[in-house]
């Protein structure tokens, strides 16, 4: 889905964001490595950056390190539907760059979205990608 987008954390080719730091580039590079082929350095970069994201900052070190083993990188283009209402919610997202819209709310970088609501395993609403985005 949306593999043609050329974005990097905090900056998209649309040009509206400030330039990302080397650390942010390294984070995205490490996330792009398939989980089963990440090396120790990739995992450390991912761990350090996850610990600064609001959705993860309160997790224990062991939980963050486990998460670093499994998180996946994904991109989407403007006007893509990331997920639809009624779909099984098998994951949730942290927006690294871009913007998405869900049920009257816009989500911006470092926001998390797509979590299960209550006991339902299904998505409640569709998610529209507003601009080239990285998750």
């Amino acid at each position: 889905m949306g593999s043609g987008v050329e974005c990097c954390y905090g900056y998209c080719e649309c040009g509206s964001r400030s330039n990302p730091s080397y650390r942010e580039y390294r984070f995205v590079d490490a996330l792009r490595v398939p989980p089963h082929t990440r090396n120790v350095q990739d995992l450390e970069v991912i761990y350090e950056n996850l610990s600064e994201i609001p959705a993860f900052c309160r997790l224990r070190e062991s939980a963050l390190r486990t998460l670093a083993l499994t998180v996946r990188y994904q991109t989407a283009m403007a006007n893509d539907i990331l997920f639809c209402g009624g779909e099984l919610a098998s994951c949730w997202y942290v927006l690294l760059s871009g913007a998405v819209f869900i049920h009257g709310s816009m989500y911006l970088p470092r926001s998390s979205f797509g979590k299960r609501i209550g006991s339902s395993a299904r998505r409640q609403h569709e998610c529209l990608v507003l601009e080239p985005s990285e998750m």
Side-chain angles (χ1 to χ4, degrees):
M1 189 185 284
S3 61
V5 67
E6 285 300 321
C7 292
C8 198
Y9 182 59
Y11 177 80
C12 284
E13 61 189 12
C14 59
S16 63
R17 306 231 191 289
S18 60
N19 288 330
S21 68
Y22 173 77
R23 184 169 189 228
E24 292 166 338
Y25 276 118
R26 183 65 188 108
F27 180 42
V28 171
D29 284 345
L31 288 172
R32 286 180 174 158
V33 175
H36 65 281
T37 61
R38 290 180 181 147
N39 62 34
V40 173
Q41 293 164 329
D42 294 329
L43 294 171
E44 190 62 27
V45 167
I46 293 169
Y47 164 77
E48 288 173 4
N49 282 274
L50 289 178
S51 68
E52 295 177 3
I53 294 174
F56 303 121
C57 68
R58 288 191 171 86
L59 292 178
R60 291 189 173 118
E61 179 182 350
S62 61
L64 275 176
R65 291 198 181 278
T66 300
L67 197 56
L69 293 168
T70 60
V71 293
R72 295 173 311 192
Y73 176 80
Q74 183 175 341
T75 61
M77 297 300 295
N79 299 315
D80 282 352
I81 302 297
L82 192 58
F83 54 79
C84 296
E87 287 181 356
L88 189 60
S90 60
C91 66
W92 55 281
Y93 301 86
V94 173
L95 193 63
L96 300 176
S97 69
V100 300
F101 186 80
I102 305 170
H103 191 63
S105 296
M106 183 167 60
Y107 294 83
L108 299 173
R110 295 219 169 218
S111 298
S112 61
F113 62 93
K115 296 176 188 166
R116 290 183 180 181
I117 298 173
S119 62
S120 175
R122 304 263 173 204
R123 306 266 185 215
Q124 300 300 306
H125 306 283
E126 118 180 333
C127 176
L128 172 66
V129 179
L130 298 175
E131 63 185 43
S133 298
E134 294 175 297
M135 283 105 357

